[in-house]
Amino acid sequence: MKKFFLFGISIVLLACQQQSNTDLKTLYSLPKKLKEVSGITYFPETNMIYTLEDSGNKNEIYAINSEGKLEKTISITNAQNVDWEDITKDKEENIYIGDFGNNDNERQDLCIYKVAKAELSKENAVSEYKVSFSYPEQTEFPPKKKELFYDVEGFFEYQTYFYLFTKNRSKGFDGTAFIYKIKNAPGTQKAVKIGEFKTCNNYNHCVLTSATISPDGTKIALLSHDKIVLFKDFNGDSFNKGTQTEIALNHFSQKEAVIFKDNNTLLIADEKTNKIGGNVYEFKLK
């Protein structure tokens, strides 16, 4: 579930390597029925994206073609949409739904659902298994207002693990984000914190809303409302130990979803808010 605040737009730069780019190309508008898209994943052989909506919406995923038309609606009959915040897939094109939206940091039922590729041809699909998890560092539900670190809106699957990037909702926001690692296996697990980093101290510009890894595994792209944070030149899964680059999109909207189309091209989706957004965009990395 999202709470979107806009207190005025300003240009905020990270204390890291900079790159500016204005090549955000609008591909198409999202179907009008999808008002709260919260994640996308991409299937190159059909040139379609699969998407979902967050809390208050149905337990469904949607296939959208390259013209923005809704091709298919798939109901996940054994999964509840408490707060679906992102969607990703593995190398075998099984889909994973991240039910880990946690605005108030109160939830103790965080999970990820696996939907096998074969189920995507059905109108009524079943989740093959559920991965339930918790954060060992969180001991209060909710924590103090200055320690609201345990919401997530972005993740991906990579080499049989899930990587989650937290959305900081703390009072006195300073851009701190955690990286957690979870084994892609059914059952209950404790997420392992493998790193942390900072963006900037302006919530509107630097809070993280989605995450993706390039097909070749060499780049991580994290999305905010008007920029991309890009990690490169890392070893293994020490993503935050590589170079951290900010890419200004020069376009402010409620961006909620990002996926690599290929190793150098991103697809980005935003919600329509105050007549702004509700589109899918293409962005080529320089």
Side-chain angles (χ1 to χ4, degrees), residues 8 18 54 58 65 67 83 101-102 115 117-118 128 130 167 174 203 220 223 230 262 267-268 285:
Q18 302 294 328
D54 60 11
K58 296 180 179 180
N65 67 22
E67 297 179 348
D83 196 357
N102 192 17
V115 181
K117 182 180 180 181
E128 181 177 331
K130 179 169 76 170
K167 182 175 185 177
D174 67 353
Y203 181 92
I220 307 295
L223 182 67
L230 191 71
D262 56 46
L267 298 176
I268 296 169
L285 298 170

Side-chain angles (χ1 to χ4, degrees), residues 22 58 109 130 134 246:
T22 58
K58 296 180 179 180
D109 58 350
K130 179 169 76 170
S134 60
E246 177 195 88

Side-chain angles (χ1 to χ4, degrees), residues 5-16:
F5 303 99
L6 175 57
F7 300 110
I9 299 174
S10 60
I11 302 300
V12 179
L13 300 179
L14 298 180
C16 61

Side-chain angles (χ1 to χ4, degrees), residues 43 50 61 72 74 93-95 115-122 125:
F43 282 71
Y50 283 69
I61 54 179
K72 189 188 312 179
I74 305 165
E93 298 191 331
N94 303 301
I95 272 182
V115 181
K117 182 180 180 181
E119 293 291 302
L120 301 180
S121 62
K122 304 174 183 178

